[in-house]
Amino acid sequence: MSKNRGEYRGVFKATAILGSVQLFNILIAVVRNKCISILLGPAGMGIMGLLTSATGTITGFTNLGITFSAIKNIASAYEKGDYTTLGKVLYVLQRCIWTTGLLGAIVCLSLCRQLSQWTFGNTDFTISFALLSISLFLTQLTNGNLLILKGCRNINYYAKANVLGNFLSLFITVPLYFWLGIDAIVPALILFSISTFLCAYFYRSRLRLVEIKTERGEFEEISKDILIAGIAFSAADFFPLMASFYIRTFISNNGGLTDVGFFSAGFAILNGYVGMIFTAMSTDYIPRLSAVSDDDHQLELVINQQIEMSILLLFPLIVLFVIFGKLVTLILYSSQFYPMIEMIYWGGLGMLFKVPNWCFGCFLIPKRESKAYFCFSILSALFYLGMNMLLYRMWGVKGLGISFLLSHIFDASVSYWYINRKYQINYKVRTILELLGMGAVIVAVIIFQSSQLVTWVIYTLDFCVCMLAGLYSYNRLNSLMDLTSFIKSKLNGRKK
Protein backbone atom coordinates (compact mmCIF):
# COMPACT_ATOMS: atom_id res chain seq x y z
CA MET A 1 0.00 0.00 0.00
CA SER A 2 2.79 2.42 0.95
CA LYS A 3 4.55 1.60 -2.32
CA ASN A 4 1.39 2.42 -4.28
CA ARG A 5 1.03 5.68 -2.36
CA GLY A 6 4.61 6.55 -3.22
CA GLU A 7 3.95 5.90 -6.90
CA TYR A 8 0.75 7.97 -6.87
CA ARG A 9 2.63 10.76 -5.10
CA GLY A 10 5.34 10.62 -7.76
CA VAL A 11 2.74 11.03 -10.50
CA PHE A 12 1.03 13.84 -8.58
CA LYS A 13 4.29 15.67 -7.84
CA ALA A 14 5.44 15.62 -11.48
CA THR A 15 1.99 16.72 -12.67
CA ALA A 16 1.85 19.48 -10.04
CA ILE A 17 5.27 20.91 -10.96
CA LEU A 18 4.61 20.88 -14.69
CA GLY A 19 1.01 21.96 -14.16
CA SER A 20 2.33 25.03 -12.32
CA VAL A 21 4.57 25.75 -15.28
CA GLN A 22 1.59 25.44 -17.60
CA LEU A 23 -0.39 27.77 -15.34
CA PHE A 24 2.36 30.38 -15.65
CA ASN A 25 2.41 29.84 -19.41
CA ILE A 26 -1.35 30.31 -19.42
CA LEU A 27 -1.03 33.69 -17.71
CA ILE A 28 1.47 34.71 -20.39
CA ALA A 29 -0.81 33.34 -23.11
CA VAL A 30 -3.78 35.26 -21.67
CA VAL A 31 -1.98 38.55 -22.25
CA ARG A 32 -0.66 37.51 -25.67
CA ASN A 33 -3.95 36.07 -26.95
CA LYS A 34 -5.96 39.00 -25.59
CA CYS A 35 -3.75 41.41 -27.52
CA ILE A 36 -3.88 39.27 -30.66
CA SER A 37 -7.66 38.80 -30.55
CA ILE A 38 -8.29 42.53 -30.08
CA LEU A 39 -5.76 43.64 -32.69
CA LEU A 40 -6.38 40.93 -35.29
CA GLY A 41 -9.96 39.82 -34.62
CA PRO A 42 -11.41 36.40 -35.56
CA ALA A 43 -10.27 36.73 -39.20
CA GLY A 44 -6.67 37.41 -38.12
CA MET A 45 -6.82 34.45 -35.75
CA GLY A 46 -8.08 32.40 -38.70
CA ILE A 47 -5.09 33.39 -40.85
CA MET A 48 -2.71 32.52 -38.01
CA GLY A 49 -4.50 29.19 -37.50
CA LEU A 50 -4.18 28.25 -41.17
CA LEU A 51 -0.47 29.20 -41.29
CA THR A 52 0.40 27.25 -38.14
CA SER A 53 -1.72 24.28 -39.21
CA ALA A 54 -0.01 24.10 -42.62
CA THR A 55 3.52 24.39 -41.18
CA GLY A 56 2.60 21.96 -38.41
CA THR A 57 1.58 19.43 -41.05
CA ILE A 58 4.98 19.79 -42.75
CA THR A 59 6.77 19.44 -39.41
CA GLY A 60 4.78 16.32 -38.57
CA PHE A 61 5.65 14.80 -41.93
CA THR A 62 9.37 15.71 -42.04
CA ASN A 63 10.43 15.17 -38.43
CA LEU A 64 10.27 11.38 -39.07
CA GLY A 65 8.76 10.79 -35.62
CA ILE A 66 12.11 11.14 -33.84
CA THR A 67 10.56 12.92 -30.86
CA PHE A 68 8.38 9.84 -30.31
CA SER A 69 10.80 7.01 -30.97
CA ALA A 70 14.05 8.35 -29.47
CA ILE A 71 12.58 8.93 -26.03
CA LYS A 72 12.71 5.19 -25.31
CA ASN A 73 16.43 5.06 -26.18
CA ILE A 74 17.23 8.04 -23.97
CA ALA A 75 15.00 7.07 -21.03
CA SER A 76 16.17 3.43 -20.97
CA ALA A 77 19.88 4.35 -21.01
CA TYR A 78 19.44 7.11 -18.43
CA GLU A 79 17.33 4.95 -16.11
CA LYS A 80 20.04 2.25 -16.13
CA GLY A 81 22.84 4.79 -15.61
CA ASP A 82 24.47 3.65 -18.85
CA TYR A 83 26.06 6.97 -19.86
CA THR A 84 28.16 5.38 -22.59
CA THR A 85 25.07 4.22 -24.45
CA LEU A 86 23.36 7.52 -23.67
CA GLY A 87 26.28 9.48 -25.15
CA LYS A 88 26.13 7.43 -28.33
CA VAL A 89 22.36 7.88 -28.62
CA LEU A 90 22.76 11.65 -28.20
CA TYR A 91 25.46 11.77 -30.89
CA VAL A 92 23.19 10.01 -33.38
CA LEU A 93 20.09 11.91 -32.28
CA GLN A 94 21.63 15.35 -32.77
CA ARG A 95 22.50 14.56 -36.36
CA CYS A 96 19.05 13.17 -37.02
CA ILE A 97 17.45 16.30 -35.53
CA TRP A 98 19.52 18.66 -37.69
CA THR A 99 18.84 16.61 -40.82
CA THR A 100 15.08 16.50 -40.27
CA GLY A 101 15.00 20.19 -39.36
CA LEU A 102 16.71 21.10 -42.61
CA LEU A 103 14.39 18.76 -44.50
CA GLY A 104 11.30 20.52 -43.12
CA ALA A 105 12.71 23.95 -43.97
CA ILE A 106 13.59 22.91 -47.54
CA VAL A 107 10.12 21.39 -48.13
CA CYS A 108 8.39 24.53 -46.85
CA LEU A 109 10.63 26.80 -48.92
CA SER A 110 10.26 24.71 -52.08
CA LEU A 111 6.46 24.45 -51.85
CA CYS A 112 5.74 27.95 -50.51
CA ARG A 113 3.71 28.98 -53.58
CA GLN A 114 1.71 25.75 -53.65
CA LEU A 115 1.09 25.93 -49.88
CA SER A 116 -0.37 29.42 -50.24
CA GLN A 117 -2.63 28.24 -53.08
CA TRP A 118 -3.79 25.10 -51.23
CA THR A 119 -4.34 26.89 -47.92
CA PHE A 120 -5.83 30.24 -48.93
CA GLY A 121 -6.88 29.67 -52.53
CA ASN A 122 -4.42 32.31 -53.78
CA THR A 123 -0.67 33.05 -53.83
CA ASP A 124 -0.80 36.07 -51.49
CA PHE A 125 0.93 34.14 -48.70
CA THR A 126 3.83 32.71 -50.74
CA ILE A 127 6.46 34.87 -49.02
CA SER A 128 4.91 34.13 -45.62
CA PHE A 129 5.38 30.38 -46.09
CA ALA A 130 8.92 30.91 -47.41
CA LEU A 131 9.87 32.86 -44.28
CA LEU A 132 8.22 30.31 -41.99
CA SER A 133 10.75 27.71 -43.19
CA ILE A 134 13.08 29.35 -40.62
CA SER A 135 10.52 28.66 -37.91
CA LEU A 136 10.20 25.01 -38.99
CA PHE A 137 13.94 24.46 -38.70
CA LEU A 138 14.23 26.06 -35.26
CA THR A 139 11.13 24.26 -33.98
CA GLN A 140 12.70 20.88 -34.75
CA LEU A 141 15.93 21.87 -32.96
CA THR A 142 13.86 23.03 -29.99
CA ASN A 143 11.92 19.75 -29.90
CA GLY A 144 15.21 17.84 -29.95
CA ASN A 145 16.56 19.72 -26.93
CA LEU A 146 13.29 19.33 -25.02
CA LEU A 147 13.25 15.63 -25.91
CA ILE A 148 16.62 15.16 -24.18
CA LEU A 149 15.40 16.99 -21.06
CA LYS A 150 12.26 14.89 -21.06
CA GLY A 151 14.07 11.58 -21.63
CA CYS A 152 16.46 12.31 -18.76
CA ARG A 153 13.41 13.21 -16.64
CA ASN A 154 14.88 16.57 -15.69
CA ILE A 155 11.53 18.15 -14.93
CA ASN A 156 13.14 21.22 -13.38
CA TYR A 157 15.10 22.26 -16.49
CA TYR A 158 12.24 21.27 -18.80
CA ALA A 159 9.90 23.51 -16.82
CA LYS A 160 12.31 26.45 -16.80
CA ALA A 161 12.95 26.18 -20.53
CA ASN A 162 9.21 26.34 -21.23
CA VAL A 163 8.54 29.24 -18.86
CA LEU A 164 11.47 31.37 -19.99
CA GLY A 165 10.77 30.74 -23.68
CA ASN A 166 7.14 31.82 -23.36
CA PHE A 167 8.04 34.79 -21.17
CA LEU A 168 10.56 36.11 -23.69
CA SER A 169 8.21 35.57 -26.61
CA LEU A 170 5.53 37.65 -24.88
CA PHE A 171 7.71 40.75 -24.73
CA ILE A 172 9.09 40.20 -28.21
CA THR A 173 5.92 39.44 -30.18
CA VAL A 174 3.14 41.53 -28.60
CA PRO A 175 4.73 44.90 -29.51
CA LEU A 176 4.92 43.65 -33.11
CA TYR A 177 1.16 43.10 -33.21
CA PHE A 178 0.57 46.63 -31.90
CA TRP A 179 2.92 48.00 -34.54
CA LEU A 180 2.13 45.92 -37.63
CA GLY A 181 -1.24 44.27 -36.99
CA ILE A 182 -1.90 41.28 -39.29
CA ASP A 183 1.45 41.86 -41.03
CA ALA A 184 3.16 40.92 -37.74
CA ILE A 185 1.89 37.31 -37.77
CA VAL A 186 4.84 35.78 -39.66
CA PRO A 187 7.64 37.80 -37.95
CA ALA A 188 6.04 37.03 -34.56
CA LEU A 189 5.94 33.28 -35.30
CA ILE A 190 9.63 33.35 -36.31
CA LEU A 191 10.68 35.34 -33.23
CA PHE A 192 8.68 32.98 -31.04
CA SER A 193 10.58 29.98 -32.46
CA ILE A 194 13.92 31.76 -31.93
CA SER A 195 13.20 32.55 -28.26
CA THR A 196 11.99 29.02 -27.45
CA PHE A 197 15.00 27.48 -29.22
CA LEU A 198 17.50 29.59 -27.28
CA CYS A 199 15.90 28.71 -23.95
CA ALA A 200 15.67 24.99 -24.72
CA TYR A 201 19.29 24.92 -25.92
CA PHE A 202 20.51 26.75 -22.79
CA TYR A 203 18.95 24.28 -20.35
CA ARG A 204 19.86 21.27 -22.47
CA SER A 205 23.52 22.38 -22.38
CA ARG A 206 23.38 22.64 -18.58
CA LEU A 207 22.90 18.88 -18.31
CA ARG A 208 26.55 18.56 -19.40
CA LEU A 209 25.88 15.28 -21.16
CA VAL A 210 28.78 14.14 -23.31
CA GLU A 211 28.15 12.94 -26.84
CA ILE A 212 30.23 9.90 -27.77
CA LYS A 213 31.15 9.52 -31.40
CA THR A 214 30.12 6.16 -32.80
CA GLU A 215 31.63 3.93 -35.43
CA ARG A 216 29.73 3.61 -38.68
CA GLY A 217 28.18 0.27 -37.72
CA GLU A 218 26.95 1.55 -34.36
CA PHE A 219 25.67 4.77 -35.93
CA GLU A 220 23.63 2.79 -38.44
CA GLU A 221 22.29 0.46 -35.75
CA ILE A 222 21.14 3.26 -33.41
CA SER A 223 19.79 5.48 -36.18
CA LYS A 224 17.96 2.54 -37.73
CA ASP A 225 16.27 1.74 -34.41
CA ILE A 226 15.22 5.38 -33.97
CA LEU A 227 14.22 6.08 -37.56
CA ILE A 228 12.32 2.89 -38.45
CA ALA A 229 9.99 3.30 -35.48
CA GLY A 230 10.01 7.08 -35.88
CA ILE A 231 9.05 7.04 -39.55
CA ALA A 232 6.10 4.79 -38.80
CA PHE A 233 4.96 7.09 -35.98
CA SER A 234 5.55 10.15 -38.18
CA ALA A 235 3.56 8.65 -41.04
CA ALA A 236 0.79 7.81 -38.57
CA ASP A 237 0.72 11.35 -37.18
CA PHE A 238 0.63 12.78 -40.67
CA PHE A 239 -3.01 11.69 -41.07
CA PRO A 240 -4.39 13.56 -37.99
CA LEU A 241 -2.37 16.62 -39.05
CA MET A 242 -3.79 16.42 -42.56
CA ALA A 243 -7.27 15.94 -41.12
CA SER A 244 -6.84 19.03 -38.94
CA PHE A 245 -5.55 21.02 -41.90
CA TYR A 246 -8.41 19.85 -44.15
CA ILE A 247 -11.00 20.64 -41.46
CA ARG A 248 -9.77 24.24 -41.33
CA THR A 249 -9.88 24.60 -45.11
CA PHE A 250 -13.34 22.94 -45.15
CA ILE A 251 -14.59 25.42 -42.54
CA SER A 252 -12.98 28.30 -44.45
CA ASN A 253 -14.68 27.28 -47.70
CA ASN A 254 -18.08 26.58 -46.13
CA GLY A 255 -18.26 29.10 -43.31
CA GLY A 256 -15.45 31.62 -43.79
CA LEU A 257 -12.28 32.70 -42.00
CA THR A 258 -14.29 33.89 -38.98
CA ASP A 259 -15.42 30.33 -38.22
CA VAL A 260 -11.82 29.13 -38.69
CA GLY A 261 -10.86 31.76 -36.11
CA PHE A 262 -13.51 30.42 -33.70
CA PHE A 263 -12.27 26.85 -34.26
CA SER A 264 -8.60 27.83 -33.75
CA ALA A 265 -9.29 30.04 -30.73
CA GLY A 266 -11.62 27.51 -29.10
CA PHE A 267 -9.17 24.64 -29.35
CA ALA A 268 -6.34 26.94 -28.29
CA ILE A 269 -8.28 27.38 -25.03
CA LEU A 270 -8.97 23.65 -24.71
CA ASN A 271 -5.45 22.50 -25.53
CA GLY A 272 -3.68 25.32 -23.73
CA TYR A 273 -5.76 25.66 -20.58
CA VAL A 274 -7.84 22.54 -19.95
CA GLY A 275 -5.21 20.46 -21.75
CA MET A 276 -2.41 21.71 -19.50
CA ILE A 277 -2.80 18.45 -17.56
CA PHE A 278 -1.82 16.46 -20.68
CA THR A 279 1.18 18.69 -21.31
CA ALA A 280 2.25 18.22 -17.70
CA MET A 281 1.71 14.45 -17.80
CA SER A 282 3.53 13.80 -21.07
CA THR A 283 6.90 14.92 -19.70
CA ASP A 284 6.87 12.28 -16.98
CA TYR A 285 4.44 9.60 -18.20
CA ILE A 286 6.12 8.49 -21.43
CA PRO A 287 9.60 8.09 -19.82
CA ARG A 288 7.97 6.05 -17.01
CA LEU A 289 6.30 3.81 -19.57
CA SER A 290 9.60 3.45 -21.46
CA ALA A 291 11.45 2.42 -18.30
CA VAL A 292 9.08 -0.57 -17.70
CA SER A 293 8.19 -1.33 -21.33
CA ASP A 294 9.28 -5.00 -21.02
CA ASP A 295 7.01 -5.73 -18.04
CA ASP A 296 3.30 -5.82 -18.99
CA HIS A 297 2.17 -6.06 -15.36
CA GLN A 298 4.07 -2.89 -14.44
CA LEU A 299 2.76 -1.20 -17.57
CA GLU A 300 -0.82 -1.96 -16.50
CA LEU A 301 -0.15 -0.41 -13.09
CA VAL A 302 1.45 2.71 -14.60
CA ILE A 303 -1.41 3.17 -17.11
CA ASN A 304 -4.18 2.76 -14.53
CA GLN A 305 -2.44 5.05 -12.06
CA GLN A 306 -2.10 7.71 -14.73
CA ILE A 307 -5.74 7.43 -15.82
CA GLU A 308 -6.99 7.62 -12.22
CA MET A 309 -4.86 10.61 -11.31
CA SER A 310 -5.65 12.43 -14.55
CA ILE A 311 -9.45 12.17 -14.44
CA LEU A 312 -9.47 13.17 -10.76
CA LEU A 313 -7.41 16.27 -11.53
CA LEU A 314 -9.33 17.13 -14.69
CA PHE A 315 -12.88 16.63 -13.38
CA PRO A 316 -13.14 19.77 -11.19
CA LEU A 317 -11.13 21.78 -13.74
CA ILE A 318 -13.59 20.94 -16.54
CA VAL A 319 -16.59 21.70 -14.32
CA LEU A 320 -15.08 25.12 -13.52
CA PHE A 321 -14.21 25.64 -17.17
CA VAL A 322 -17.80 25.01 -18.32
CA ILE A 323 -19.27 27.22 -15.59
CA PHE A 324 -16.94 30.11 -16.35
CA GLY A 325 -16.56 29.43 -20.09
CA LYS A 326 -18.16 32.70 -21.15
CA LEU A 327 -16.01 34.73 -18.74
CA VAL A 328 -12.86 32.87 -19.83
CA THR A 329 -13.65 33.65 -23.47
CA LEU A 330 -14.17 37.34 -22.66
CA ILE A 331 -10.90 37.55 -20.68
CA LEU A 332 -8.79 35.63 -23.19
CA TYR A 333 -10.32 37.01 -26.37
CA SER A 334 -13.37 39.30 -26.63
CA SER A 335 -17.16 39.20 -26.92
CA GLN A 336 -16.71 38.65 -30.68
CA PHE A 337 -15.76 35.05 -29.84
CA TYR A 338 -18.99 34.19 -27.94
CA PRO A 339 -20.31 32.04 -30.86
CA MET A 340 -17.67 29.41 -30.01
CA ILE A 341 -18.75 28.95 -26.36
CA GLU A 342 -20.93 25.87 -26.90
CA MET A 343 -18.11 24.31 -28.92
CA ILE A 344 -15.67 24.63 -26.00
CA TYR A 345 -18.28 23.27 -23.55
CA TRP A 346 -18.53 19.98 -25.46
CA GLY A 347 -14.82 20.04 -26.26
CA GLY A 348 -14.12 20.34 -22.52
CA LEU A 349 -16.12 17.14 -21.93
CA GLY A 350 -14.12 15.56 -24.75
CA MET A 351 -10.94 16.32 -22.79
CA LEU A 352 -12.12 13.98 -20.03
CA PHE A 353 -12.48 11.10 -22.50
CA LYS A 354 -9.16 12.02 -24.06
CA VAL A 355 -7.48 10.71 -20.88
CA PRO A 356 -7.90 6.94 -21.52
CA ASN A 357 -7.37 7.45 -25.24
CA TRP A 358 -4.12 9.35 -24.64
CA CYS A 359 -2.84 6.97 -21.94
CA PHE A 360 -3.37 3.87 -24.08
CA GLY A 361 -2.06 5.61 -27.19
CA CYS A 362 1.21 6.43 -25.42
CA PHE A 363 1.54 2.74 -24.50
CA LEU A 364 2.15 1.90 -28.15
CA ILE A 365 5.25 4.14 -28.38
CA PRO A 366 7.67 2.28 -26.03
CA LYS A 367 6.22 -1.02 -27.24
CA ARG A 368 7.30 -0.04 -30.78
CA GLU A 369 3.79 -0.92 -31.99
CA SER A 370 4.26 1.24 -35.07
CA LYS A 371 1.88 -0.72 -37.31
CA ALA A 372 -0.95 -0.56 -34.78
CA TYR A 373 -0.25 3.13 -34.14
CA PHE A 374 -0.32 3.75 -37.89
CA CYS A 375 -3.66 1.97 -38.37
CA PHE A 376 -5.26 3.67 -35.36
CA SER A 377 -4.11 7.08 -36.59
CA ILE A 378 -5.71 6.55 -40.02
CA LEU A 379 -8.94 5.27 -38.46
CA SER A 380 -9.00 8.12 -35.93
CA ALA A 381 -8.31 10.80 -38.57
CA LEU A 382 -11.04 9.47 -40.88
CA PHE A 383 -13.59 9.29 -38.07
CA TYR A 384 -12.68 12.78 -36.77
CA LEU A 385 -12.76 14.28 -40.26
CA GLY A 386 -16.10 12.67 -41.09
CA MET A 387 -17.68 13.72 -37.78
CA ASN A 388 -16.46 17.31 -38.17
CA MET A 389 -17.78 17.64 -41.70
CA LEU A 390 -21.14 16.10 -40.78
CA LEU A 391 -21.71 17.91 -37.49
CA TYR A 392 -20.42 21.27 -38.74
CA ARG A 393 -23.06 21.16 -41.49
CA MET A 394 -25.71 20.21 -38.90
CA TRP A 395 -24.89 22.49 -35.96
CA GLY A 396 -22.18 24.87 -37.12
CA VAL A 397 -19.30 25.65 -34.75
CA LYS A 398 -21.02 23.81 -31.86
CA GLY A 399 -20.85 20.60 -33.91
CA LEU A 400 -17.04 20.78 -33.94
CA GLY A 401 -16.99 20.43 -30.14
CA ILE A 402 -19.39 17.48 -30.18
CA SER A 403 -17.27 15.86 -32.91
CA PHE A 404 -14.19 16.21 -30.66
CA LEU A 405 -16.03 14.42 -27.84
CA LEU A 406 -17.32 11.56 -30.02
CA SER A 407 -13.91 11.07 -31.64
CA HIS A 408 -12.16 10.57 -28.29
CA ILE A 409 -14.82 8.14 -27.09
CA PHE A 410 -14.38 6.18 -30.33
CA ASP A 411 -10.56 6.26 -30.17
CA ALA A 412 -10.46 5.22 -26.50
CA SER A 413 -12.76 2.26 -27.22
CA VAL A 414 -10.70 1.03 -30.19
CA SER A 415 -7.29 1.41 -28.50
CA TYR A 416 -8.51 -0.35 -25.34
CA TRP A 417 -9.98 -3.21 -27.37
CA TYR A 418 -6.63 -3.78 -29.11
CA ILE A 419 -4.39 -3.49 -26.05
CA ASN A 420 -6.67 -5.63 -23.90
CA ARG A 421 -6.84 -8.30 -26.59
CA LYS A 422 -3.08 -8.45 -27.22
CA TYR A 423 -1.55 -7.68 -23.80
CA GLN A 424 -4.43 -8.49 -21.41
CA ILE A 425 -4.15 -5.01 -19.91
CA ASN A 426 -7.39 -3.95 -18.24
CA TYR A 427 -9.10 -0.85 -16.93
CA LYS A 428 -10.04 -0.79 -13.28
CA VAL A 429 -13.84 -1.19 -13.13
CA ARG A 430 -14.04 1.66 -10.63
CA THR A 431 -12.19 3.95 -13.04
CA ILE A 432 -14.69 3.25 -15.85
CA LEU A 433 -17.63 3.96 -13.53
CA GLU A 434 -15.97 7.16 -12.31
CA LEU A 435 -15.32 8.29 -15.86
CA LEU A 436 -18.95 7.74 -16.89
CA GLY A 437 -20.26 9.41 -13.73
CA MET A 438 -18.03 12.45 -14.21
CA GLY A 439 -19.14 12.68 -17.82
CA ALA A 440 -22.81 12.67 -16.76
CA VAL A 441 -22.16 15.46 -14.23
CA ILE A 442 -20.41 17.62 -16.85
CA VAL A 443 -23.29 17.09 -19.32
CA ALA A 444 -25.68 18.30 -16.60
CA VAL A 445 -23.54 21.43 -16.06
CA ILE A 446 -23.53 22.12 -19.82
CA ILE A 447 -27.35 21.83 -19.85
CA PHE A 448 -27.55 24.28 -16.91
CA GLN A 449 -25.60 26.90 -18.87
CA SER A 450 -27.92 26.61 -21.87
CA SER A 451 -31.18 26.40 -19.88
CA GLN A 452 -33.84 29.07 -19.43
CA LEU A 453 -33.80 28.78 -15.63
CA VAL A 454 -33.71 31.86 -13.43
CA THR A 455 -30.15 33.17 -13.11
CA TRP A 456 -29.89 32.69 -9.33
CA VAL A 457 -31.03 29.07 -9.69
CA ILE A 458 -28.30 28.38 -12.28
CA TYR A 459 -25.68 30.02 -10.04
CA THR A 460 -26.82 27.92 -7.06
CA LEU A 461 -26.69 24.69 -9.04
CA ASP A 462 -23.29 25.61 -10.47
CA PHE A 463 -21.92 26.34 -7.00
CA CYS A 464 -23.21 23.04 -5.57
CA VAL A 465 -21.82 20.96 -8.46
CA CYS A 466 -18.49 22.78 -8.30
CA MET A 467 -18.11 22.13 -4.55
CA LEU A 468 -19.13 18.47 -4.88
CA ALA A 469 -16.70 17.91 -7.78
CA GLY A 470 -13.83 19.46 -5.83
CA LEU A 471 -14.61 17.51 -2.65
CA TYR A 472 -14.98 14.23 -4.51
CA SER A 473 -11.64 14.60 -6.31
CA TYR A 474 -9.86 15.68 -3.13
CA ASN A 475 -11.22 12.74 -1.10
CA ARG A 476 -10.32 10.24 -3.82
CA LEU A 477 -6.80 11.64 -4.17
CA ASN A 478 -6.47 11.56 -0.38
CA SER A 479 -7.42 7.86 -0.33
CA LEU A 480 -4.89 7.06 -3.07
CA MET A 481 -1.86 9.01 -1.82
CA ASP A 482 -2.75 10.57 1.57
CA LEU A 483 -2.88 13.99 -0.06
CA THR A 484 -3.45 15.84 3.23
CA SER A 485 -0.20 14.53 4.75
CA PHE A 486 1.64 15.16 1.50
CA ILE A 487 0.55 18.81 1.43
CA LYS A 488 1.37 19.27 5.14
CA SER A 489 4.86 17.82 4.66
CA LYS A 490 5.52 20.20 1.77
CA LEU A 491 4.26 23.20 3.74
CA ASN A 492 6.31 22.24 6.82
CA GLY A 493 9.38 21.77 4.62
CA ARG A 494 8.98 25.30 3.25
CA LYS A 495 8.59 26.78 6.74
CA LYS A 496 11.85 25.21 7.81
Side-chain angles (χ1 to χ4, degrees), residues 40 46 85 108 115 142 159 175 221 228 230 232 239 256 313 430 468 476:
L40 305 186
T85 300
C108 187
L115 286 167
T142 301
E221 182 182 350
I228 288 178
F239 294 100
L313 290 170
R430 178 168 185 167
L468 289 171
R476 282 284 289 120

Side-chain angles (χ1 to χ4, degrees), residues 374-400:
F374 184 83
C375 293
F376 288 154
S377 293
I378 295 174
L379 188 61
S380 173
L382 290 173
F383 186 86
Y384 183 54
L385 181 61
M387 283 291 101
N388 271 283
M389 293 172 69
L390 175 64
L391 298 183
Y392 179 69
R393 288 187 183 278
M394 290 174 62
W395 294 313
V397 175
K398 172 186 172 181
L400 300 172

